[in-house]
Amino acid sequence: MYLKTQLEWNVLISPENLDPNGLMLQRSIIIRLLEEFANRKATKDHGYFLSMTTLEKIGEGKIRPESGDVLFPVRYNCLTFKPFKGEVLKGVVDRIVKHGVFLICGPVGNVFLSVRTMPDYQYVHGENPTFMNNESSKIEKGGVVRFVVLGTKWVETEKEFQVLGPVA
């Protein structure tokens, strides 16, 4: 699900990027914020960071005496994506194994549909393995599959969610 979120971060600006006119300072803060936003993949509470929408406030900077860097509190709005239990989503088949199907759903790269949750489908092995049912419906690599989110797991070391679900 897509969420609008308001976040507050601290942006650190080095002394060489400080400018007394203020215009270059604001530009430096925004560029640094965008760099940090791009490098932060996701959090457990907010999901995957997709896009920054508006900059609400740049607070008063505080000088760090040891380095001379200035720390600015910043408040902004952004768009995030977080999968929730019960949600119906679409994913692209990335990999097919005997025990199920791995999908990619937007920024979520680890969605697993277990063969146990696809009782009508049979595994067909070969060079390009597929799952097929009696109505000739086929799940193959590159195909799009609708699924229901049964559960999610946050993996802190990877900064990503794992999703489990059946075909919808």
Side-chain angles (χ1 to χ4, degrees):
M1 174 180 289
Y2 295 99
L3 304 169
K4 285 184 180 177
T5 307
Q6 188 171 80
L7 296 174
E8 292 186 14
W9 284 356
N10 290 318
V11 176
L12 194 63
I13 302 295
S14 60
E16 58 267 8
N17 291 329
L18 297 174
D19 181 36
N21 340 7
L23 193 57
M24 292 304 288
L25 175 61
Q26 185 175 9
R27 182 177 181 273
S28 294
I29 293 170
I30 292 169
I31 288 171
R32 183 74 182 129
L33 178 62
L34 288 170
E35 287 171 354
E36 288 182 22
F37 185 84
N39 290 331
R40 190 176 283 191
K41 184 177 180 180
T43 65
K44 183 178 182 179
D45 295 331
H46 301 295
Y48 293 88
F49 297 112
L50 301 179
S51 174
M52 194 177 302
T53 55
T54 56
L55 178 62
E56 293 293 322
K57 180 183 174 188
I58 299 174
E60 189 175 322
K62 294 184 176 115
I63 299 172
R64 291 188 154 181
E66 64 276 354
S67 64
D69 294 342
V70 182
L71 193 65
F72 291 91
V74 177
R75 185 181 329 129
Y76 65 93
N77 295 318
C78 66
L79 187 64
T80 63
F81 177 81
K82 184 176 181 183
F84 288 99
K85 186 175 182 179
E87 203 173 11
V88 177
L89 299 171
K90 288 183 181 178
V92 177
V93 178
D94 182 48
R95 233 173 39 234
I96 296 177
V97 294
K98 187 176 181 179
H99 302 293
V101 179
F102 287 94
L103 306 176
I104 296 173
C105 175
V108 183
N110 201 355
V111 178
F112 183 67
L113 311 181
S114 172
V115 69
R116 292 180 186 180
T117 63
M118 303 186 297
D120 297 341
Y121 285 86
Q122 301 298 319
Y123 177 74
V124 179
H125 67 278
E127 189 175 311
N128 296 314
T130 62
F131 275 93
M132 202 162 215
N133 71 5
N134 295 337
E135 299 163 7
S136 298
S137 178
K138 186 192 280 189
I139 297 175
E140 60 188 346
K141 185 175 177 144
V144 177
V145 177
R146 283 174 31 120
F147 66 96
V148 179
V149 177
L150 276 183
T152 63
K153 178 183 175 184
W154 173 251
V155 182
E156 184 65 36
T157 56
E158 301 295 321
K159 299 279 189 229
E160 69 177 17
F161 288 93
Q162 293 179 340
V163 177
L164 181 65
V167 173

